[in-house]
Amino acid sequence: MSEKKVATTAVRAGINSDKHHGAVVAPIHLSSTYSLKGFNEKRDFDYSRTGNPTRATFGQAIADLEGGSTGIVTSTGMAAVHLICQLLSVGDKVLIPHDCYGGSYRLFVHLAKRGQFDVLVVDQSDEQALAEALVQKPKLVLIETPSNPLLRLVDIEKIASASKAVGAIVAVDNTFLSPILQQPLSLGADIVFHSTTKYINGHSDVVGGVLVTKTNELGEELAWWANCIGITGPAFDSYLALRGLKTLPLRMAAHQENANSVASYLNKHSAVEIVHFPGLEEHPQHELAKRQQIDFGAMLSFELKGGVEAVKVLFDNLSLFTLAQSLGGVESLISHPSTMTHAGMDIEAQKAAGISQTLVRLSVGIEDIEDILADLEVGLSASQSANVSPLSAPSKQPKFRISAAQAAVW
Ligand SMILES: *Cc1c(COP(=O)(O)O)cnc(C)c1O
């Protein structure tokens, strides 16, 4: 475990590790296989699915930043979630949050349908529901905070200690904040994982994942499974993610500064019904965010007044924000959870999860804040002057219906 400050650990990852040529930056090793020194004389690496120097450097860097022992780099964020599933046997129970990442929800629910384990879907902010689920002694408890897209928080320390009291392994999805802004292992988690596709790589040109364990023992077990099922990440992606990682602390600071300004701007705007951002004092878990997180992050969502037509007008009038899924890249993205990330849920399920059709999610980038705010102003004033009746939305048929085909793909 590194004793250095995070910015130093991020920048120095892999620096001066090349013993052969003295390359300052960790070289990329694309070879799929490695020679033995001689008969039955192995080197550190033998085959790239099992181990690769570039991947090992990146994995160790994230382990150091998270304060864990072992970092396992996977081909995607979902591969990291799937890897955790290897800890479960038939008959075991896994407790997942009702508002976790849609892909995680889909994986757990569908593997449970095939009988690989049983799944308990719980609103973890509901203490009674959580306590009742824990009585069933789950083997694994998954936590994701802040949640997507409503930025709800749950108390990692509290849930981890209650879960461990019944013998569960606790895994936290830390994708939304990165190790720079939240360190779940120090709050009692056994495993922390990321989609490195998001903030860690940060440049929207890699799809990847990483998982860090607190103990060596659990790390060895999961590394064994990662090799066994073949979900380790490619060397090239590790190289790029390691490159992105060096500026992670700087990027997070810039992302956050912009997100704070955007949140207060939206909070005062007459076209906006409500802003969901843990940094706002009126956010229901603002105090928890201050205690549990190192800072508030740069993801936020808001609800527009005036129905789903207002959302369309807003999107049509933005030029800087790109309408796209994903998050955590240097560029600002905007999305409509109801028809995009959460399209797999029918409208009723969306309502139950608190996702309205006027909900808009922002991944605030690191462009100049004046340009970001100017773009939002153009979009919001257009949506306001489009003369959308605020009464039209709830009673009418929704304009953006989720088609059966779309739902089937999910
Ligand atoms: C994107 C994401 C994932 C899945 O990661 P992929 O890299 O897309 O496979 C998991 N959890 C969260 C919170 C995410 O945002």
Side-chain angles (χ1 to χ4, degrees):
M1 198 191 292
S2 168
E3 300 299 323
K4 302 257 182 346
K5 303 275 189 210
V6 286
T8 310
T9 304
V11 169
R12 302 296 304 185
I15 298 284
N16 296 336
S17 60
D18 174 28
K19 299 285 177 280
H20 197 68
H21 297 295
V24 173
V25 167
I28 177 168
H29 292 274
L30 294 171
S31 185
S32 57
T33 187
Y34 294 83
S35 65
L36 278 76
K37 277 190 214 156
F39 179 72
N40 206 17
E41 276 186 80
K42 283 189 181 160
R43 301 181 200 263
D44 290 345
F45 298 96
D46 56 7
Y47 184 59
S48 242
R49 167 163 37 76
T50 320
N52 171 282
T54 316
R55 195 167 69 221
T57 303
F58 175 53
Q60 192 54 50
I62 303 294
D64 289 345
L65 286 170
E66 288 284 8
S69 68
T70 313
I72 302 168
V73 179
T74 54
S75 53
T76 66
M78 283 318 302
V81 184
H82 198 191
L83 180 56
I84 299 171
C85 291
Q86 306 310 315
L87 297 170
L88 301 166
S89 304
V90 174
D92 283 343
K93 294 189 175 71
V94 51
L95 191 162
I96 66 167
H98 72 308
D99 54 358
C100 67
Y101 176 72
S104 306
Y105 186 90
R106 174 177 58 190
L107 179 67
F108 282 108
V109 167
H110 284 259
L111 288 180
K113 266 190 197 165
R114 284 169 47 184
Q116 298 206 2
F117 45 73
D118 297 323
V119 70
L120 307 165
V121 182
V122 173
D123 175 354
Q124 295 177 345
S125 66
D126 178 341
E127 287 188 19
Q128 198 187 336
L130 181 67
E132 282 169 11
L134 288 176
V135 168
Q136 302 189 48
K137 292 196 188 312
K139 171 94 185 279
L140 172 72
V141 173
L142 190 84
I143 299 174
E144 189 178 318
T145 175
S147 74
N148 176 25
L150 291 166
L151 287 302
R152 294 177 179 130
L153 272 71
V154 291
D155 191 325
I156 298 176
E157 202 163 19
K158 233 181 183 172
I159 300 174
S161 97
S163 303
K164 287 167 100 169
V166 299
I169 297 168
V170 176
V172 178
D173 187 334
N174 203 22
T175 301
F176 262 41
L177 291 175
S178 94
I180 307 302
L181 300 183
Q182 178 168 270
Q183 298 184 339
L185 297 183
S186 70
L187 300 170
D190 303 294
I191 297 172
V192 56
F193 64 95
H194 296 269
S195 163
T196 56
T197 316
K198 317 295 168 52
Y199 287 107
I200 288 181
N201 178 60
H203 294 74
S204 304
D205 52 8
V206 166
V207 175
V210 70
L211 178 158
V212 174
T213 61
K214 181 88 180 164
T215 67
N216 242 329
E217 203 184 5
L218 190 56
E220 274 174 22
E221 184 179 351
L222 286 168
W224 185 89
W225 275 112
N227 175 54
C228 181
I229 56 179
I231 57 171
T232 48
F236 196 77
D237 291 359
S238 292
Y239 178 82
L240 284 175
L242 188 61
R243 194 175 198 262
L245 182 67
K246 292 173 195 290
T247 55
L248 180 63
L250 277 177
R251 283 187 283 109
M252 291 317 290
H255 277 294
Q256 289 203 114
E257 200 182 325
N258 283 353
N260 272 316
S261 304
V262 169
S264 30
Y265 161 80
L266 291 172
N267 212 24
K268 290 189 216 104
H269 204 290
S270 53
V272 173
E273 185 72 46
I274 184 171
V275 182
H276 305 286
F277 181 63
L280 292 173
E281 272 173 28
E282 56 267 47
H283 185 280
Q285 290 116 13
H286 179 66
E287 290 306 316
L288 174 60
K290 282 209 281 196
R291 191 169 76 238
Q292 170 163 284
Q293 303 179 181
I294 294 155
D295 218 325
F296 299 118
M299 291 302 297
L300 60 89
S301 60
F302 62 98
E303 280 161 54
L304 269 183
K305 289 178 183 161
V308 73
E309 293 85 354
V311 176
K312 184 177 172 352
V313 176
L314 167 67
F315 288 179
D316 286 349
N317 284 277
L318 293 174
S319 54
L320 185 141
F321 278 86
T322 304
L323 177 60
Q325 307 212 17
S326 199
L327 60 110
V330 290
E331 71 289 340
S332 290
L333 299 180
I334 193 163
S335 69
H336 183 231
S338 176
T339 53
M340 296 168 69
T341 45
H342 292 67
M345 289 181 172
D346 61 34
I347 299 288
E348 287 311 309
Q350 287 186 8
K351 257 192 207 156
I355 299 166
S356 80
Q357 288 193 65
T358 57
L359 184 73
V360 172
R361 190 188 80 178
L362 299 183
S363 171
V364 181
I366 63 170
E367 301 92 341
D368 193 292
I369 188 61
E370 285 184 23
D371 293 327
I372 291 177
L373 295 180
D375 196 45
L376 286 171
E377 184 55 37
V378 171
L380 288 173
S381 39
S383 90
Q384 227 171 358
S385 57
N387 197 17
V388 182
S389 159
L391 298 173
S392 68
S395 53
K396 276 192 180 173
Q397 285 280 63
K399 278 268 159 61
F400 294 161
R401 281 198 81 81
I402 310 307
S403 69
Q406 218 170 352
V409 170
W410 186 82

